[in-house]
């Protein structure tokens, strides 16, 4: 077994856990298989995570962090939203689709859902949507009075929905329809 410590060991464990999850899904996921793949022992895993669910959550967070989507600042909300969706097509579509498919048993067993896992990935940071909309409010493109949590997340909720229902990258026409026909008209109306 290799002797690693700290972040190097944790990264190896999380990479191994993600690989196991992708190959075997929740039902076939086993801590001893992760340990073997990472070249370590099961007690090393238990010193960091309380069990299977904790390790899987950490592996999903790690996988998301390994596939970053850059926060654009094009000077326009429309262009920012389109840029993020296009970039997400390359960086995150496989992660979104595989997480939903591989984790069905996890959600059932833990009593959680994809939205709660997403919140764990965000870890009390502002979402990309919140940051983009805050900039749009500062530029005067959006009236803060119209913003609600549901409207704030709408563009990316529609994007994720499209990914989850098609299991493919979102087409350019669909991205433009989400942004131009649905989201921007709602965001650019004036609050009352």
């Amino acid at each position: 077994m290799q002797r690693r410590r700290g972040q190097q060991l944790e990264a190896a464990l999380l990479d191994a856990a993600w690989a196991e999850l992708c190959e075997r899904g929740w039902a076939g996921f086993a801590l001893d298989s992760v340990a073997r793949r990472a070249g370590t022992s099961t007690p090393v895993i238990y010193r960091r995570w309380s069990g299977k669910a904790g390790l899987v959550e950490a592996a999903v967070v790690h996988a998301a962090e390994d596939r970053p989507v850059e926060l654009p600042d094009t000077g326009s909300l429309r262009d920012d939203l389109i840029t993020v969706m296009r970039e997400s097509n390359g960086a995150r579509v496989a992660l979104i689709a595989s997480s939903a498919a591989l984790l069905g048993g996890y959600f059932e067993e833990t009593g959680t859902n994809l939205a709660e896992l997403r919140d764990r990935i965000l870890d009390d940071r502002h979402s990309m949507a919140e940051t983009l909309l805050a900039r749009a409010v500062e530029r005067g493109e959006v009236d803060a009075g119209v913003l609600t949590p549901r409207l704030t997340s709408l563009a990316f909720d529609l994007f994720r929905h499209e990914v989850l229902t098609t299991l493919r990258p979102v087409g350019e026409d669909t991205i433009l329809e989400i942004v131009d026909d649905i989201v921007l008209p709602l965001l650019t109306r004036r609050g009352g």
Side-chain angles (χ1 to χ4, degrees), residues 54-154:
L55 178 55
V56 165
E57 290 168 5
V60 171
V61 170
H62 179 72
E65 290 170 349
D66 277 353
R67 294 156 181 82
V69 173
E70 295 298 319
L71 183 66
D73 191 359
T74 65
S76 112
L77 178 60
R78 179 185 186 275
D79 292 341
D80 286 348
L81 290 171
I82 291 170
T83 300
V84 168
M85 289 183 191
R86 285 175 178 157
E87 192 172 325
S88 294
N89 265 335
R92 293 273 174 95
V93 165
L95 177 67
I96 294 167
S98 62
S99 293
L102 296 170
L103 295 174
Y106 160 83
F107 294 128
E108 186 176 320
E109 194 171 308
T110 61
T112 61
N113 57 48
L114 196 55
E116 290 170 330
L117 186 58
R118 181 183 166 275
D119 289 344
R120 179 157 161 61
I121 291 169
L122 283 174
D123 191 32
D124 292 330
R125 293 172 292 170
H126 287 293
S127 70
M128 193 170 288
E130 291 169 320
T131 302
L132 294 178
L133 285 170
R135 289 180 186 165
V137 167
E138 287 175 17
R139 289 190 300 259
E141 291 179 274
V142 173
D143 180 353
V146 303
L147 293 179
T148 64
R150 176 88 49 212
L151 186 53
T152 297
S153 67
L154 181 61

